[in-house]
Amino acid sequence: MPSAEVIAEVRAHYLGAVRRAGHGVYPEPPEPFRVTPERSAFSAVEVVPFDQVVGRTAEELIGLQLSNSYSTPAQLGPRRASFERDLRQALQQHDPSGRYEETIHTEALIGVRP
């Protein structure tokens, strides 16, 4: 199981499975991101994918979670300390090395007009 799945399980335990945004939930976009420019005046739309392997410590992963809009300290409220503790413990059980690598998948969408 990748560390991202471990993080998602702990986050879901505290905040539910639905991704939050502000005081509500994050609505999934109704269509893939590339559809909009393909319907526009762009004569060509190209998707350029690239991957990057990133290694982080448990503390960096916890900090990253707290910086995401769907798991901010405000979202967690008084449960923040227990969230951090449980996430640290789950990551340690997942991989005791204390170093967690993940591949970040990024896509650049390039549109050209005539």
Side-chain angles (χ1 to χ4, degrees), residues 21-59:
H23 295 291
V25 296
Y26 174 78
E28 288 296 323
E31 60 187 20
F33 72 93
R34 22 180 109 140
V35 172
T36 302
E38 288 172 351
R39 287 194 322 254
S40 72
F42 291 111
S43 60
V45 177
E46 179 183 2
V47 177
V48 180
F50 57 96
D51 294 341
Q52 177 183 13
V53 177
V54 177
R56 294 186 175 106
T57 65
E59 295 309 310

